[in-house]
Amino acid sequence: MIDLAKLRAVPPFADLSDEQLRWLGEHLTEVDVKAGAVLAREGETKPVFFVVLEGECQATKFSGATQIPTNRFIAPSFFGGVSLLAGTPSPGTVAAATDGHLALLPERAFKELIVASEAFSRSIFRSSLDRLTALEASVRNREKLAALGTLAAGLAHELNNPSAAVARTADCAVETLAMLKDAAVALSHSAIPPDAMSALDSLGVRKGPGNGPAADALQQSEAEDALLDWLAKLGIARPWLMAPCLARIGIRPADLEPLAARLNEEQFAAGIRWLAATLELRSLVEETRRGAVRISEIVKAMKSYSYMDQAPQQAVDLHDGIEDTLTIMHHRLKQGVTVRREYDRSLPQLVVYGSELNQVWTNLIDNAIDAMEGKGEIVIRTGRDANDAVIEITDNGPGIAPEVMPHLFEPFFTTKPLGQGTGLGLDISYQTVVQRHGGEIRVDSRPGHTTFQVRLPLAPRGEASK
């Protein structure tokens, strides 16, 4: 029989009577475990209360795809009470950190002891609350760090494209500038008439970017081939270098035929080289400008999203926060998600914790993308209902199962596979909207239509009726 002195050393059993302790000993099963043995696995049901008499056990929990340590149970200690009390699967995985000696109490005996001993039940409830609070705080902080890492990776990806484009076009601009210099020298030696020079210049302006209908890839390729063949027949050297930039802005052989008829071969060749180099340089400068503007937009959105260098609570336009969030999440949306905006711009500014609300929009939009498996439509709608600002985020995914709905905002509840979700995104959103801002968050779901509705008071609840 188990040593009752060892049992009394375990905190929940310290105040049991001798009779209760003997009863407990009769219902316990002793086991020896080797280091590394898994005693309870996250997400699985284990109807046993574990008592650590010798050795040490390590608890871990998935956060994203990473297992993080959450607790250590060093003898004399215990674990497993949370799952038995709540009737839920194990919130984490527990494995033996060293060789050890444990005692197992079946669920039925555990619950009998809860009813029979007030001291035992008080100890179990207190320790369970403390452990759940510590676990939630630990995983919540980890979740925020993981979200920050994902956000940083997305931003790096978004910044990489325009910054790479700027670097690439800058290199090309150096080469094109050298070509333009050579073309200008050849142009000066050809003694091209001033009126022909003006015609070339005006052709570049008249046919410039945005001055004509956009051609699709096939039409563009055909136009380049036609112009390349025409220039080659006229004896123009390396026409493949000039045809693409001329065709890109809509210049066709018919536009150049009047000049070709007026100028000799040397003059026309010099003029075409100069025009092509000028247009190419203009195109490169415009591409560089677009890349720089995109970088500026991303940096501006990030500063607004995080409310960098600003007070935590201030009057904000909700639409600005939503748009900043969409900009930051562009890397997730561009793979197949369209966003339709139905904004009521008459909504007044709200005094809120802007960066925390932006995290709510991030969580809801991220969940919508996951629900649609990266392809579908998200509708973001804002409006006013009495004294509340109403924000709705709707996706056309498969919907939420009825049995899942009551558990949506419970901490650690997730329908995602193990390692892909911590179940804290909606919990954090609920805490932010309801407890932090005195609002409400509601859900309506059916196949093809799931709406998360966030209601925020336009004024603090105490002032709304004044």
Side-chain angles (χ1 to χ4, degrees):
M1 184 175 175
I2 193 169
D3 187 345
L4 299 185
K6 284 186 176 181
L7 282 183
R8 197 173 287 284
V10 182
F13 306 143
D15 294 327
L16 294 182
S17 66
D18 291 341
E19 182 181 351
Q20 289 173 325
L21 206 59
R22 282 192 294 273
W23 176 90
L24 177 64
E26 292 171 358
H27 287 79
L28 286 169
T29 302
E30 297 180 76
V31 295
D32 291 316
V33 296
K34 296 292 185 181
V38 176
L39 306 172
R41 199 175 297 277
E42 183 175 349
E44 295 182 358
T45 300
K46 197 82 171 181
V48 173
F49 181 71
F50 295 85
V51 182
V52 184
L53 299 174
E54 296 176 11
E56 179 180 339
C57 297
Q58 171 73 63
T60 60
K61 181 171 179 60
F62 271 107
S63 178
T66 305
Q67 268 196 322
I68 61 171
T70 56
N71 211 337
R72 298 185 78 86
F73 306 110
I74 302 172
S77 187
F78 61 94
F79 61 89
V82 173
S83 298
L84 296 180
L85 289 172
T88 58
S90 175
T93 296
V94 184
T98 65
D99 291 348
H101 186 63
L102 278 70
L104 311 181
L105 183 65
E107 181 178 7
R108 179 184 295 275
F110 172 82
K111 291 182 176 179
E112 287 183 23
L113 192 56
I114 285 282
V115 174
S117 172
E118 181 181 349
F120 176 76
S121 62
R122 185 166 51 246
S123 176
I124 290 296
F125 281 114
R126 186 189 305 115
S127 65
S128 297
L129 178 61
D130 291 343
R131 288 177 181 180
L132 271 179
T133 302
L135 175 61
E136 183 177 347
S138 174
V139 179
R140 188 186 295 272
N141 289 335
R142 179 80 183 201
E143 177 83 356
K144 290 180 179 179
L145 288 174
L148 183 61
T150 302
L151 191 64
L155 282 173
H157 178 77
E158 286 299 300
L159 288 170
N160 180 66
N161 290 336
S163 61
V166 169
R168 182 178 62 252
T169 53
D171 289 339
C172 292
V174 173
E175 297 176 6
T176 305
L177 193 59
M179 292 173 55
L180 181 60
K181 179 181 177 181
D182 293 341
V185 171
L187 200 63
S188 65
H189 291 162
S190 69
I192 188 171
D195 60 331
M197 191 67 203
S198 297
L200 277 172
D201 186 51
S202 63
L203 185 63
V205 173
R206 180 163 50 88
K207 293 284 187 176
N211 291 334
D216 60 30
L218 180 59
Q219 291 174 329
Q220 179 67 22
S221 178
E222 291 174 347
E224 288 180 16
D225 291 341
L227 189 57
L228 189 153
D229 292 341
W230 185 79
L231 291 174
K233 287 178 181 178
L234 292 179
I236 303 299
R238 296 187 296 177
W240 57 86
L241 294 179
M242 291 168 271
C245 58
L246 295 173
R248 190 186 307 130
I249 66 166
I251 294 178
R252 303 293 182 258
D255 300 310
L256 298 174
E257 284 173 351
L259 283 170
R262 293 182 52 199
L263 303 175
N264 61 38
E265 184 177 327
E266 180 188 1
Q267 290 172 332
F268 184 71
I272 286 296
R273 285 179 60 194
W274 175 85
L275 179 60
T278 301
L279 293 176
E280 182 67 12
L281 189 60
R282 180 192 300 169
S283 174
L284 291 171
V285 170
E286 176 59 24
E287 188 175 343
T288 301
R289 186 194 68 80
R290 286 197 300 267
V293 168
R294 179 59 181 160
I295 292 171
S296 178
E297 288 175 349
I298 294 171
V299 172
K300 180 181 177 183
M302 188 59 202
K303 289 184 67 175
S304 298
Y305 178 90
S306 61
Y307 287 82
M308 191 183 299
D309 302 326
Q310 300 180 43
Q313 189 178 34
Q314 57 184 279
V316 303
D317 185 328
L318 294 176
H319 304 101
D320 291 343
I322 294 171
E323 287 300 315
D324 290 336
T325 302
L326 292 173
T327 298
I328 297 303
M329 298 188 70
H330 180 68
H331 64 287
R332 293 217 62 200
L333 296 166
K334 66 183 181 182
Q335 302 302 323
V337 177
T338 59
V339 178
R340 179 154 54 93
R341 299 159 173 84
E342 297 179 5
Y343 292 162
D344 178 1
R345 291 286 186 176
S346 68
L347 277 178
Q349 291 189 332
L350 275 69
V351 178
V352 295
Y353 295 92
S355 62
E356 296 181 26
L357 273 184
N358 286 346
Q359 186 61 53
V360 172
W361 315 140
T362 300
N363 290 338
L364 296 183
I365 293 171
D366 192 57
N367 281 352
I369 295 171
D370 286 341
M372 299 185 298
E373 297 184 348
K375 297 187 184 299
E377 182 184 57
I378 294 176
V379 180
I380 304 178
R381 186 179 296 107
T382 64
R384 177 171 184 161
D385 182 16
N387 294 316
D388 289 339
V390 180
I391 303 92
E392 294 182 341
I393 297 177
T394 302
D395 69 73
N396 59 356
I400 302 170
E403 63 270 18
V404 170
M405 292 287 283
H407 306 287
L408 278 179
F409 300 106
E410 293 178 5
F412 304 123
F413 179 83
T414 179
T415 58
K416 296 178 182 178
L418 195 64
Q420 293 185 20
T422 60
L424 285 177
L426 288 178
D427 174 53
I428 291 172
S429 299
Y430 182 88
Q431 302 290 338
T432 300
V433 172
V434 177
Q435 298 188 7
R436 191 74 158 155
H437 291 90
E440 296 179 71
I441 183 166
R442 305 173 181 175
V443 188
D444 174 64
S445 183
R446 58 185 182 273
H449 185 95
T450 297
T451 298
F452 279 82
Q453 183 187 85
V454 174
R455 304 176 71 91
L456 297 168
L458 294 170
R461 291 297 186 193
E463 299 179 9
S465 59
K466 290 182 181 180

